[in-house]
């Protein structure tokens, strides 16, 4: 890994003629994708009660099972990144993007229609696992294709800005999911939420996926004519021919994904089970901090276009290595404290999220860019991001909740060591 971190990549590739339209097409579809994915996280406690039997010794057993299914979905993401990335490299970015959003719509509907454990027994969690596997396949492919599509659509000197909209749209989808979950919790009583209220966001997600599919039909393909005429890359060619680049993607992503999923997905649940924060307050704090986070992304992208990628990555990595433990230990039964902790983390996190798409795309050549990014990135997210809610809840179940913040800090420190040796690629051209 040291060798690749000291090499400057060969860069070059033309932007599209309609960058703003490309940005909208990618962003709207991506927002719908991630709305569907995150609705599961925000409604985890309700899904747990409906789909899994309660453990005799602990009320955390159903929640652990629900987060285990959450993690299972993540382990399909590398497969999605590889398969959909290969489609993007062989048949075009737009083709892959239309497939992923239709797949996400179908799997979201399946979650919403999952029967309860009381009605069908073990078939209930089986259906839920199947739905999450399909969602994982879709999301893994979405990141691979949309990252490539966004960065290839940017004009010179604007890749960081365009990259930031990966998480602007991701956050928008997450924000809508959080907002709808908060609205349902505040307006429906527990009985209605437990019986049918938690299903509503998933049915809505299926409808929104069709809207995203329609919007993406008008997008311009970013794969060049030269790439279309070239021989099609093999399924594992990106990893096989560029192993050092693949390892670099893993090192870049490791700290970012654990911090991202801890702060944007798991923190409301962590605050509930570890600090005693009210469920509705936890969801509201999450919604407000997500809106703040989304507004920060373009600023981070613009700063990276001017000053480079590495300073922002180090701001993120070293910041979380030093502050994860004090921030998470500061949580107590207070809405204001939770909101402050979340917003502080969002500022640090922007150093990674606003430019991760650009950094990843600048590592791989165009011929295998989508699959080359998609597989190692999604594998790392599965190992460290997807397991974050489960690991955090498991530490609580074992009586060692205070260990989890140190786990987050250690991974961020590991990525910081990679960032220190990372070559600066902000001001070059994309690799052909």
């Amino acid at each position: 890994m040291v060798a690749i971190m000291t090499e400057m990549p060969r860069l070059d590739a033309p932007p599209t003629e309609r960058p703003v339209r490309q940005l909208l097409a990618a962003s709207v579809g991506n927002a719908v994708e991630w709305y569907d994915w995150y609705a599961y996280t925000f409604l985890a406690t309700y899904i747990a009660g409906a789909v899994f039997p309660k453990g005799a010794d602990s009320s955390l057993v159903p929640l652990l099972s629900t987060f285990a299914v959450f993690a299972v979905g993540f382990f399909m993401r590398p497969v999605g990144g590889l398969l959909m990335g290969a489609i993007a490299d062989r048949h075009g970015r737009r083709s892959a993007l239309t497939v992923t959003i239709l797949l996400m719509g179908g799997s979201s509907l399946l979650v919403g229609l999952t029967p309860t454990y009381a009605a069908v027994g073990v078939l209930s969690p089986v259906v839920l696992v199947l739905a999450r596997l399909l969602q994982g396949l879709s999301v893994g492919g979405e990141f691979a294709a949309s990252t490539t599509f966004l960065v290839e659509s940017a004009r010179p000197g604007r890749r960081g800005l365009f990259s930031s909209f990966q998480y602007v749209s991701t956050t928008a989808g997450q924000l809508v999911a959080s907002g709808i979950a908060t609205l349902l919790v505040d307006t429906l009583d527990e009985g209605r939420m437990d019986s049918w209220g938690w299903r509503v966001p998933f049915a809505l997600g299926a409808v929104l996926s069709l809207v995203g599919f329609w919007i993406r039909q008008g997008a311009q393909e970013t794969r060049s004519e030269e790439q279309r005429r070239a021989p099609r890359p093999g399924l594992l060619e990106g990893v096989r021919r560029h192993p050092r680049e693949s390892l670099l993607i893993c090192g870049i992503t490791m700290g970012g994904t654990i911090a991202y999923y801890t702060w944007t997905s798991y923190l409301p649940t962590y605050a509930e089970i570890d600090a005693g924060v009210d469920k509705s307050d936890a969801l509201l704090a999450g919604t407000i901090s997500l809106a703040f986070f989304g507004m920060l992304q373009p600023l981070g992208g613009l700063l990276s276009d001017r000053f480079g990628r590495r300073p922002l990555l180090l701001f993120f990595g070293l910041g979380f290595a030093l502050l994860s433990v004090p921030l998470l230990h500061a949580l107590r039964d207070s809405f204001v404290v939770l909101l402050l902790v979340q917003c502080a983390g969002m500022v640090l996190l922007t150093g990674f999220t606003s430019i991760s798409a650009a950094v990843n795309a600048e590592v791989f050549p165009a011929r295998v860019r989508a699959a080359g990014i998609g597989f190692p990135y999604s594998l790392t997210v599965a190992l460290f991001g997807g397991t974050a809610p489960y690991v955090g809840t498991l530490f609580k179940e074992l009586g060692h909740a205070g260990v989890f913040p140190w786990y987050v800090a250690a991974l961020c420190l590991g990525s910081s060591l990679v960032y220190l040796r990372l070559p600066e690629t902000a001001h070059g051209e994309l690799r052909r």
Side-chain angles (χ1 to χ4, degrees):
M1 186 181 292
V2 174
I4 183 62
M5 289 189 289
T6 57
E7 286 184 4
M8 285 296 294
R10 303 176 307 276
L11 302 168
D12 198 19
T16 59
E17 297 176 356
R18 300 175 295 176
V20 175
R21 183 171 178 178
Q22 296 290 95
L23 192 62
L24 290 174
S27 298
V28 173
N30 197 49
V32 172
E33 278 269 350
W34 289 96
Y35 163 84
D36 289 342
W37 178 256
Y38 281 115
Y40 182 97
T41 307
F42 292 118
L43 296 163
T45 54
Y46 296 102
I47 297 172
V51 175
F52 295 98
K54 291 184 178 179
D57 300 321
S58 174
S59 61
L60 287 178
V61 171
L63 186 59
L64 276 171
S65 300
T66 307
F67 282 140
V69 176
F70 181 79
V72 164
F74 272 85
F75 279 95
M76 281 299 289
R77 288 178 61 167
V79 179
L82 188 62
L83 294 179
M84 298 301 169
I87 291 175
D89 289 333
R90 294 178 181 184
H91 304 288
R93 320 313 190 197
R94 189 177 66 175
S95 297
L97 288 172
T98 54
V99 172
T100 58
I101 200 164
L102 287 178
L103 188 59
M104 178 58 82
S107 55
S108 180
L109 183 61
L110 187 58
V111 173
L113 296 177
T114 299
T116 65
Y117 187 87
V120 298
V122 72
L123 182 61
S124 178
V126 168
V127 172
L128 183 64
V129 168
L130 175 61
R132 286 300 288 182
L133 289 175
L134 292 174
Q135 284 188 325
L137 189 71
S138 174
V139 166
E142 172 69 18
F143 185 88
S146 65
T147 291
T148 305
F149 181 84
L150 270 174
V151 177
E152 289 178 349
S153 296
R155 296 194 186 282
R158 285 291 180 263
R159 289 200 303 269
L161 176 62
F162 270 58
S163 168
S164 72
F165 279 85
Q166 177 84 34
Y167 278 92
V168 169
S169 54
T170 296
T171 303
Q174 194 171 358
L175 187 60
V176 173
S178 174
I180 289 177
T182 303
L183 180 64
L184 287 169
V185 169
D186 287 343
T187 56
L188 298 178
D189 58 40
E190 283 291 316
R192 289 177 179 174
M193 276 300 300
D194 289 337
S195 62
W196 58 267
W198 65 269
R199 301 178 184 274
V200 173
F202 298 103
L204 178 61
V207 176
L208 292 176
S209 294
L210 294 177
V211 176
F213 171 77
W214 175 73
I215 291 173
R216 284 184 166 175
Q217 294 303 295
Q220 178 187 347
E221 177 56 54
T222 62
R223 198 170 55 133
S224 68
E225 196 62 39
E226 179 183 350
Q227 292 170 244
R228 296 176 198 181
R229 291 195 301 266
R232 293 179 179 178
L235 185 63
L236 291 170
E237 186 171 330
V239 175
R240 181 171 52 82
R241 296 188 62 180
H242 303 276
R244 294 179 298 174
E245 286 88 340
S246 298
L247 288 174
L248 182 56
I249 294 289
C250 294
I252 291 169
T253 305
M254 179 177 64
T257 189
I258 184 67
Y260 177 77
Y261 282 100
T262 297
W263 248 257
T264 66
S265 301
Y266 179 56
L267 201 56
T269 302
Y270 182 85
E272 285 179 48
I273 65 175
D274 196 62
V277 177
D278 180 75
K279 184 183 298 185
S280 139
D281 283 348
L283 284 172
L284 179 59
T287 302
I288 294 171
S289 63
L290 279 172
F292 174 65
F293 178 64
M295 290 186 290
L296 290 175
Q297 301 310 298
L299 175 60
L302 285 169
L303 287 173
S304 81
D305 283 331
R306 181 165 185 179
F307 300 108
R309 318 293 189 218
R310 187 165 51 189
L312 267 74
L313 290 172
L314 287 171
F315 169 74
F316 151 73
L318 295 177
F320 262 101
L322 294 172
L323 297 176
S324 292
V325 174
L327 284 174
L328 291 177
H329 282 174
L331 287 173
R332 59 179 185 270
D333 188 6
S334 166
F335 170 79
V336 174
V337 171
L338 174 59
L339 183 60
L340 289 175
V341 167
Q342 286 200 286
C343 288
M346 296 306 192
V347 173
L348 295 173
L349 191 56
T350 297
F352 171 78
T353 54
S354 63
I355 59 172
S356 64
V359 173
N360 290 338
E362 288 162 353
V363 168
F364 274 93
R367 185 168 180 271
V368 292
R369 181 170 290 139
I373 293 171
F375 182 70
Y377 174 88
S378 295
L379 181 62
T380 308
V381 171
L383 289 172
F384 300 107
T387 58
Y390 184 82
V391 170
T393 308
L394 182 61
F395 278 136
K396 173 65 176 179
E397 175 74 357
L398 296 174
H400 301 290
V403 176
F404 183 69
W406 289 100
Y407 172 67
V408 176
L411 292 179
C412 290
L413 179 60
S415 282
S416 296
L417 298 177
V418 176
Y419 305 152
L420 283 169
R421 299 294 300 277
L422 190 69
E424 184 56 68
T425 56
H427 306 117
E429 297 295 325
L430 278 175
R431 294 174 67 178
R432 286 191 184 276

